[in-house]
Every structure is written in C-alpha cells, then in structure tokens.
Amino acid sequence: MDRVIKAKTVSYGLIELHEHDASYYITVNGSIKEQSSDLNAMESYFDHYD
C-alpha cells in the first residue's frame, strides 16, 4: 500500500515523501526523483528540497 509520509509545497511545486512496500520515494509534482529503502536517507533528501 502506498501512503504519503510527508508533504510540503515549495516555490516550484509539491514535494511528497511516500512509503510503498518497505521502500520510500520522493516525488516532485508527481514525478519520482529519489528512491531508497532507507527512510533516514529519504527524510534527509526531503529536507533539502526548498
């Protein structure tokens, strides 16, 4: 099951951190930009989007 863990709006659109089957990915305006099984790494990547 896919779920959004975090989301924020920045000047260029919507950033979301998703969980799917013990894997995580970040989308920018609906397009996958980063993917990993390491949640800590993905949260760090998420925090760098401004």
Side-chain angles (χ1 to χ4, degrees):
M1 180 176 178
D2 190 284
R3 71 180 181 109
V4 175
I5 297 172
K6 291 183 179 181
K8 65 181 173 183
T9 303
V10 294
S11 62
Y12 50 89
L14 179 64
I15 313 300
E16 294 178 316
L17 174 57
H18 297 258
E19 177 184 18
H20 179 75
D21 294 337
S23 172
Y24 305 93
Y25 63 95
I26 293 173
T27 60
V28 177
N29 295 323
S31 297
I32 295 175
K33 298 298 181 185
E34 311 276 352
Q35 191 169 4
S36 175
S37 60
D38 182 348
L39 177 58
N40 289 330
M42 296 307 291
E43 287 181 322
S44 178
Y45 293 143
F46 179 88
D47 291 341
H48 285 95
Y49 283 92
D50 299 352

